[in-house]
Amino acid sequence: MRRRLTRFGVIVAIGALAGGVTAAPATLAAGTNQTYLIVYQAKAVPSDAAKRISAAGGTLVASYGAIGVAIARSSSDAFKANVKADSRVAAAAATAGSAVQLNDDQQASDSTAAPDVPATDSDNLSGLQWDMVQIHTPEAHAITGGNSGVLVGDIDTGLDYTHPDLAANVDFANSVGCVSGAPDNSPLAWFDDNGHGTHTAGTIAAASNQIGIVGVAPKVRIAGIKAGNAAGFFFPEAVICAFMWAGDHHVKVTNNSYFADPWLFNCKNDAEQRAIFSAEQRAIKYAQSKGVVVVAAEGNQADDLAHPTQDATSPDDTTPVLRDITNACAVVPVEVPGVIGVTADGNRSIKSFYSSYGMGSVQVIAPGGDSILQVTAAAPNGRVLSTWPASLLNVTCLPARRVVDPSGATYCYQQGTSMASPHSAGVAALIASQHPNWSTGAITAKLTGTADPMACPDTAQYAFFPALDNGAPQVCTGGTGYNSFNGHGQVNALSAVH
């Protein structure tokens, strides 16, 4: 099946997997203004970087000295060659093939709040949240709903800070727009113009307030870190900015329901992709060094990330080219070391038909929905309900998936590993609320160690859902304690805080 995606939320499944090599990607016309990553040999940006970039024909957009990465813009065809003439530059790469479409160190908490603040799950739409029942959040909330000393950064398309189920928990001071590669803290810069970010934010931290739904951690603060625009693309300059911001603004957990565009798999044997991967990895490691727990979606291609052979998705901002790949190619952020990879399941507690997987890359599984294999009485459309901007309800949410609370607050049903990852990030936030001085490693160990082990399912039921990129059948390997579909098991909020 060929699946059209919106980041890591599956929109529709139709048609057949195309074979053969597709058309070559579109090339930029001379004089097109492009964004470039400049990765320096040392993890520092030289003091004369702006001057050297200007002399090469560009303009410095942002400088991240702590990781030795600069972001620049240029319309000169010779810019990359000119800037690489500086012997201090390790690599330089354009971040897009086409214009502007953007589809463990210990850190103490600054909390003065009591760690265990109970919450209730009796909001108007709580009865529709099969996903929360499945991971035992109502029982966990009798112990703790988290506390406001914990800040979760939702790296996504921004969030609707006016939504009645989110407004009380939004941290304006620590929210930011990063689409350009340079941080912009003004609220309009991080307002959600897609819907995806508001959905993931609601799963993490929708308030327990008698309106709509209740998130996994309804009493934590949430920062919207906008790295994707209305089209849902997350280019490297935005991803780098997002992780640097998280590292510098006391974010304890980040949710990442996307892959960094334009390459699904970044391959080290390609100079451009190697530069992109290196810069993004530096930024993620920087955040981790500041105590940030990084949780990421596994992807919706039904691919085995441990055994990649082809990429039919990239570059996704122009025309994809079918290319052979190996384990030298990796998906960012989920395959960066130390990142908690999350696969998706549905209401039958088996891996969702679309969810990618892989030994080593997946740590846990969480509800993401499954509208084909796992439609049940509790989940009549198989999908996950969460917050959605009112301004976009009739634009980006299909009619059959719209829900309006009696208060007028708006919600939408979605499915994807995008929906699974924030469940796991929410549980990590509950753990951090109880243990404000724990390291990222300790929080990760608690999250994985309290997950409910799940054995490999009968994979015959996935026969009609081969990998999107290479057409391979889905195969689960490993035992009940750890396997390629479920990692260490399904996250369990109650066990995590008990």
Side-chain angles (χ1 to χ4, degrees):
M1 300 289 286
R2 178 77 177 183
R3 285 173 283 285
R4 185 167 63 88
L5 311 175
T6 173
R7 306 318 315 136
F8 281 171
V10 176
I11 294 299
V12 69
I14 55 175
L17 182 64
V21 178
T22 59
T27 56
L28 287 165
T32 300
N33 207 26
Q34 277 215 84
T35 301
Y36 291 85
L37 296 183
I38 303 168
V39 184
Y40 291 91
Q41 301 280 2
K43 289 190 178 178
V45 175
S47 59
D48 64 345
K51 180 179 178 180
R52 295 295 289 264
I53 288 168
S54 178
T59 302
L60 179 66
V61 173
S63 175
Y64 296 104
I67 61 171
V69 174
I71 296 168
R73 295 281 287 176
S74 178
S75 58
S76 170
D77 293 337
F79 175 74
K80 186 170 71 171
N82 290 343
V83 81
K84 288 177 68 176
D86 185 342
S87 62
R88 298 169 298 180
V89 173
T95 64
S98 172
V100 296
Q101 187 183 41
L102 291 175
N103 189 355
D104 240 287
D105 284 352
Q106 181 171 304
Q107 175 177 303
S109 167
D110 58 0
S111 171
T112 57
D116 290 329
V117 184
T120 60
D121 289 71
S122 57
D123 285 7
N124 291 330
L125 304 178
S126 291
L128 302 178
Q129 294 187 273
W130 62 267
D131 50 314
M132 299 299 175
V133 173
Q134 190 160 300
I135 63 169
H136 304 285
T137 60
E139 301 100 310
H141 290 165
I143 300 170
T144 181
N147 75 70
S148 61
V150 171
L151 176 61
V152 179
D154 193 23
I155 301 178
D156 212 301
T157 60
L159 59 80
D160 179 358
Y161 43 77
T162 69
H163 196 288
D165 233 354
L166 293 173
N169 291 336
V170 175
D171 188 323
F172 278 73
N174 291 301
S175 295
V176 68
C178 271
V179 170
S180 72
D184 183 346
N185 182 236
S186 61
L188 285 179
W190 49 272
F191 190 84
D192 186 8
D193 51 7
N194 176 282
H196 191 272
T198 300
H199 197 279
T200 56
T203 296
I204 297 166
S208 175
N209 58 2
Q210 302 305 305
I211 297 173
I213 65 167
V214 180
V216 177
K219 293 186 179 293
V220 302
R221 289 177 296 135
I222 189 160
I225 303 179
K226 184 178 173 66
N229 79 347
F233 284 82
F234 294 69
F235 280 168
E237 62 270 23
V239 173
I240 291 165
C241 169
F243 280 106
M244 297 303 292
W245 179 271
D248 288 337
H249 287 80
H250 306 291
V251 171
K252 193 61 181 178
V253 180
T254 63
N255 178 67
N256 301 269
S257 292
Y258 61 89
F259 68 83
D261 300 287
W263 301 95
L264 172 58
F265 290 92
N266 288 268
C267 299
K268 296 176 184 177
N269 61 352
D270 179 277
E272 295 264 330
Q273 294 166 50
R274 184 171 62 249
I276 291 171
F277 181 84
S278 175
E280 290 170 334
Q281 184 180 43
R282 287 188 187 185
I284 293 169
K285 284 186 173 181
Y286 176 80
Q288 290 170 328
S289 77
K290 295 293 186 177
V292 180
V293 177
V294 181
V295 182
E298 196 80 2
N300 297 335
Q301 288 79 15
D303 281 346
D304 182 352
L305 298 188
H307 301 94
T309 60
Q310 289 184 328
D311 178 5
T313 302
S314 309
D316 66 344
D317 63 326
T318 54
T319 303
V321 175
L322 184 67
R323 58 184 181 140
D324 293 332
I325 59 173
T326 68
N327 273 325
C329 307
V331 179
V332 177
V334 72
E335 291 195 282
V336 172
V339 172
I340 300 170
V342 187
T343 53
D345 64 6
N347 195 224
R348 291 176 53 213
S349 294
I350 59 170
K351 189 188 76 66
S352 303
F353 72 91
Y354 54 78
S355 181
S356 293
Y357 57 97
M359 295 292 283
S361 66
V362 56
Q363 298 302 313
V364 290
I365 192 167
D370 185 334
S371 62
I372 296 181
L373 298 179
Q374 301 183 69
V375 173
T376 66
N381 66 16
R383 301 172 187 271
V384 173
L385 185 67
S386 191
T387 45
W388 203 262
S391 60
L392 296 175
L393 190 67
N394 297 326
V395 179
T396 55
C397 181
L398 295 177
R401 301 179 195 165
R402 300 169 189 162
V403 179
V404 179
D405 181 79
S407 69
T410 50
Y411 303 81
C412 188
Y413 280 104
Q414 297 284 297
Q415 69 176 345
T417 55
S418 280
M419 287 66 245
S421 183
H423 285 87
S424 302
V427 176
L430 292 180
I431 295 169
S433 293
Q434 287 194 314
H435 307 283
N437 295 317
W438 275 16
S439 68
T440 60
I443 293 171
T444 300
K446 183 72 169 180
L447 180 72
T448 59
T450 55
D452 295 327
M454 293 168 56
C456 284
D458 178 2
T459 54
Q461 59 197 312
Y462 301 99
F464 292 102
F465 309 102
L468 175 63
D469 288 293
N470 61 15
Q474 297 196 50
V475 178
C476 184
T477 57
T480 301
Y482 181 85
N483 57 66
S484 62
F485 273 23
N486 310 305
H488 296 279
Q490 183 171 251
V491 295
N492 186 318
L494 176 61
S495 296
V497 303
H498 199 270

Coordinates of all heavy atoms in Angstrom, one line a residue, residues 99-145:
A99 N 12.9 25.6 -2.6 CA 12.4 26.8 -2.0 C 12.1 26.6 -0.5 O 12.9 26.1 0.2 CB 11.2 27.3 -2.8
V100 N 10.8 27.0 -0.1 CA 10.6 27.2 1.3 C 9.6 26.3 2.0 O 9.2 26.6 3.1 CB 10.2 28.7 1.6 CG1 11.4 29.6 1.2 CG2 9.0 29.1 0.8
Q101 N 9.1 25.3 1.3 CA 8.0 24.5 1.9 C 8.5 23.7 3.1 O 9.5 22.9 2.9 CB 7.3 23.6 0.9 CG 6.1 22.9 1.4 CD 5.5 22.0 0.4 OE1 6.2 21.3 -0.3 NE2 4.2 22.0 0.4
L102 N 7.9 23.9 4.2 CA 8.3 23.1 5.4 C 7.1 22.2 5.8 O 6.1 22.6 6.1 CB 8.6 24.0 6.6 CG 9.8 24.9 6.5 CD1 9.9 25.8 7.6 CD2 11.1 24.0 6.4
N103 N 6.6 21.1 4.9 CA 5.4 20.3 5.3 C 5.6 20.1 6.8 O 5.1 21.0 7.3 CB 5.4 19.0 4.5 CG 4.1 18.1 4.7 OD1 3.2 18.4 5.5 ND2 4.0 17.0 3.9
D104 N 23.9 12.2 28.9 CA 22.9 12.3 30.0 C 23.5 13.0 31.2 O 24.0 12.4 32.0 CB 22.7 11.0 30.4 CG 21.8 10.1 30.5 OD1 21.0 10.2 31.4 OD2 21.9 9.1 29.8
D105 N 23.4 14.3 31.1 CA 23.8 15.0 32.3 C 22.6 15.3 33.2 O 21.5 15.6 32.7 CB 24.5 16.3 31.9 CG 25.9 16.1 31.4 OD1 26.3 14.9 31.5 OD2 26.5 17.1 30.9
Q106 N 22.8 15.3 34.5 CA 21.7 15.6 35.4 C 21.4 17.0 35.5 O 22.3 17.9 35.5 CB 22.1 15.0 36.8 CG 21.0 15.2 37.9 CD 21.4 14.5 39.1 OE1 21.7 13.3 39.1 NE2 21.5 15.2 40.2
Q107 N 20.1 17.4 35.5 CA 19.7 18.8 35.6 C 18.6 18.9 36.6 O 17.6 18.2 36.5 CB 19.2 19.3 34.3 CG 18.7 20.7 34.3 CD 18.3 21.2 32.9 OE1 19.1 21.2 32.0 NE2 17.0 21.6 32.8
A108 N 18.8 19.7 37.6 CA 17.8 19.8 38.7 C 16.6 20.6 38.1 O 16.8 21.5 37.3 CB 18.4 20.6 39.9
S109 N 15.5 20.3 38.6 CA 14.3 21.0 38.3 C 14.2 22.3 39.0 O 14.7 22.4 40.2 CB 13.0 20.2 38.6 OG 11.8 21.0 38.5
D110 N 13.6 23.4 38.4 CA 13.4 24.6 39.2 C 12.0 24.6 39.9 O 11.6 25.7 40.3 CB 13.5 25.8 38.2 CG 12.5 25.7 37.1 OD1 11.7 24.8 37.0 OD2 12.5 26.7 36.2
S111 N 11.5 23.4 40.0 CA 10.1 23.3 40.6 C 10.1 23.6 42.1 O 11.0 23.1 42.8 CB 9.5 21.9 40.3 OG 8.4 21.8 41.1
T112 N 9.1 24.3 42.6 CA 8.9 24.4 44.0 C 7.6 23.7 44.4 O 7.1 23.8 45.5 CB 8.9 25.9 44.4 OG1 7.9 26.6 43.7 CG2 10.2 26.5 44.2
A113 N 6.9 23.1 43.4 CA 5.6 22.5 43.6 C 5.8 21.1 44.1 O 6.8 20.5 44.0 CB 4.9 22.4 42.2
A114 N 4.7 20.6 44.8 CA 4.7 19.3 45.3 C 4.7 18.3 44.1 O 4.1 18.5 43.1 CB 3.5 19.0 46.2
P115 N 5.5 17.2 44.2 CA 5.7 16.3 43.0 C 4.4 15.6 42.7 O 4.1 15.3 41.5 CB 6.8 15.4 43.4 CG 6.8 15.4 44.9 CD 6.4 16.8 45.3
D116 N 3.6 15.2 43.7 CA 2.4 14.4 43.4 C 1.1 15.3 43.5 O 0.6 15.6 44.6 CB 2.3 13.2 44.3 CG 3.4 12.2 44.0 OD1 3.8 12.1 42.9 OD2 3.8 11.5 45.0
V117 N 0.6 15.7 42.3 CA -0.6 16.5 42.3 C -1.6 15.7 41.5 O -1.6 15.6 40.3 CB -0.4 17.9 41.6 CG1 -1.6 18.7 41.6 CG2 0.8 18.6 42.2
P118 N -2.6 15.1 42.2 CA -3.6 14.2 41.5 C -4.4 15.0 40.5 O -4.5 16.2 40.6 CB -4.4 13.7 42.7 CG -3.6 13.8 43.9 CD -2.8 15.0 43.7
A119 N -5.0 14.3 39.6 CA -5.9 14.8 38.6 C -7.0 13.8 38.4 O -6.9 12.7 38.8 CB -5.1 15.1 37.2
T120 N -8.1 14.3 37.8 CA -9.2 13.4 37.5 C -9.4 13.3 36.0 O -9.0 14.1 35.2 CB -10.5 14.0 38.1 OG1 -10.8 15.3 37.6 CG2 -10.4 14.1 39.6
D121 N -10.1 12.2 35.6 CA -10.3 11.9 34.2 C -11.8 11.9 33.9 O -12.4 10.9 33.4 CB -9.7 10.6 33.7 CG -8.2 10.8 33.7 OD1 -7.5 10.9 34.8 OD2 -7.6 10.8 32.6
S122 N -12.5 13.0 34.2 CA -14.0 13.0 34.1 C -14.4 14.2 33.2 O -15.5 14.8 33.4 CB -14.6 13.2 35.5 OG -14.1 14.3 36.2
D123 N -13.5 14.6 32.3 CA -13.9 15.7 31.3 C -14.9 15.2 30.3 O -15.2 14.0 30.2 CB -12.6 16.2 30.6 CG -11.7 17.0 31.5 OD1 -12.0 17.1 32.7 OD2 -10.8 17.6 31.0
N124 N -15.5 16.1 29.6 CA -16.7 15.8 28.8 C -16.4 14.7 27.8 O -17.3 13.9 27.5 CB -17.1 17.0 28.0 CG -17.7 18.1 28.9 OD1 -18.3 17.7 29.9 ND2 -17.6 19.3 28.6
L125 N -15.2 14.6 27.2 CA -14.9 13.6 26.2 C -14.0 12.5 26.7 O -13.4 11.7 25.9 CB -14.2 14.3 25.0 CG -15.1 15.5 24.4 CD1 -14.3 16.1 23.2 CD2 -16.4 15.0 23.9
S126 N -13.8 12.4 28.0 CA -12.9 11.4 28.5 C -13.3 10.0 28.1 O -12.5 9.1 27.9 CB -12.8 11.5 30.0 OG -12.1 12.7 30.4
G127 N -14.6 9.8 28.0 CA -15.1 8.5 27.6 C -14.7 8.0 26.2 O -14.8 6.8 25.9
L128 N -14.2 8.9 25.4 CA -13.7 8.6 24.0 C -12.2 8.3 24.0 O -11.7 7.9 22.9 CB -14.0 9.8 23.1 CG -15.5 10.2 23.0 CD1 -15.6 11.4 22.0 CD2 -16.3 9.0 22.5
Q129 N -11.6 8.4 25.2 CA -10.1 8.2 25.2 C -9.7 6.8 25.5 O -9.1 6.5 26.6 CB -9.5 9.2 26.2 CG -9.6 10.7 25.7 CD -8.9 11.6 26.7 OE1 -9.4 12.1 27.7 NE2 -7.7 11.9 26.3
W130 N -9.9 5.9 24.6 CA -9.5 4.5 24.8 C -8.0 4.4 25.0 O -7.5 3.5 25.7 CB -9.9 3.7 23.6 CG -9.3 4.1 22.3 CD1 -9.8 5.0 21.4 CD2 -8.0 3.7 21.8 NE1 -8.9 5.2 20.3 CE2 -7.8 4.4 20.6 CE3 -7.0 2.8 22.2 CZ2 -6.7 4.3 19.8 CZ3 -5.8 2.7 21.5 CH2 -5.7 3.4 20.3
D131 N -7.3 5.3 24.4 CA -5.8 5.3 24.4 C -5.3 5.5 25.8 O -4.4 4.9 26.3 CB -5.3 6.4 23.5 CG -5.9 7.8 23.7 OD1 -7.1 7.8 23.8 OD2 -5.1 8.8 23.8
M132 N -6.0 6.4 26.6 CA -5.6 6.7 28.0 C -5.9 5.5 28.9 O -5.1 5.1 29.8 CB -6.2 7.9 28.5 CG -5.8 9.2 27.7 SD -4.0 9.5 27.7 CE -3.9 10.9 26.6
V133 N -7.0 4.9 28.7 CA -7.4 3.7 29.4 C -6.4 2.6 29.2 O -6.0 1.9 30.1 CB -8.8 3.2 29.0 CG1 -9.1 1.9 29.7 CG2 -9.9 4.3 29.4
Q134 N -6.0 2.5 27.9 CA -5.0 1.4 27.6 C -3.7 1.5 28.3 O -3.1 0.5 28.6 CB -4.9 1.4 26.0 CG -4.1 0.2 25.5 CD -4.4 0.0 24.0 OE1 -5.5 -0.2 23.6 NE2 -3.4 0.1 23.2
I135 N -3.2 2.7 28.5 CA -1.9 2.8 29.2 C -2.1 3.3 30.7 O -1.1 3.7 31.3 CB -1.0 3.8 28.5 CG1 -1.6 5.2 28.4 CG2 -0.7 3.3 27.1 CD1 -0.5 6.3 27.9
H136 N -3.3 3.2 31.2 CA -3.6 3.3 32.6 C -3.3 4.7 33.2 O -2.9 4.9 34.3 CB -2.8 2.3 33.5 CG -3.1 0.9 33.0 ND1 -4.2 0.2 33.4 CD2 -2.3 0.0 32.3 CE1 -4.2 -1.0 32.9 NE2 -3.1 -1.1 32.2
T137 N -3.6 5.8 32.3 CA -3.4 7.1 32.9 C -4.5 7.5 33.9 O -4.1 8.2 34.9 CB -3.4 8.2 31.7 OG1 -4.6 8.2 31.0 CG2 -2.2 7.9 30.8
P138 N -5.7 7.1 33.8 CA -6.7 7.5 34.9 C -6.2 7.0 36.2 O -6.3 7.8 37.2 CB -8.0 6.8 34.4 CG -7.9 6.7 33.0 CD -6.5 6.4 32.7
E139 N -5.7 5.8 36.3 CA -5.2 5.3 37.6 C -4.0 6.0 38.1 O -3.8 6.3 39.2 CB -4.9 3.8 37.5 CG -6.1 2.9 37.2 CD -6.1 2.5 35.7 OE1 -6.0 3.4 34.9 OE2 -6.2 1.3 35.4
A140 N -3.1 6.4 37.1 CA -1.9 7.1 37.4 C -2.3 8.5 37.9 O -1.6 9.0 38.9 CB -1.0 7.2 36.2
H141 N -3.3 9.1 37.4 CA -3.7 10.5 37.8 C -4.2 10.5 39.2 O -4.2 11.6 39.8 CB -4.7 11.0 36.8 CG -4.2 11.3 35.4 ND1 -5.0 11.5 34.3 CD2 -2.9 11.4 35.0 CE1 -4.2 11.8 33.3 NE2 -2.9 11.7 33.7
A142 N -4.7 9.4 39.7 CA -5.0 9.4 41.1 C -3.8 9.6 42.0 O -4.0 10.0 43.2 CB -5.7 8.1 41.5
I143 N -2.6 9.3 41.5 CA -1.4 9.5 42.2 C -0.8 10.9 41.8 O -0.4 11.7 42.7 CB -0.4 8.4 41.9 CG1 -1.0 7.1 42.3 CG2 0.9 8.7 42.6 CD1 -0.2 5.9 41.9
T144 N -0.7 11.1 40.5 CA -0.1 12.4 40.1 C -0.5 12.7 38.6 O -0.6 11.8 37.8 CB 1.4 12.4 40.1 OG1 1.9 13.7 39.7 CG2 2.0 11.3 39.3
G145 N -0.8 14.0 38.4 CA -1.0 14.4 37.0 C 0.2 15.2 36.5 O 0.1 15.9 35.5

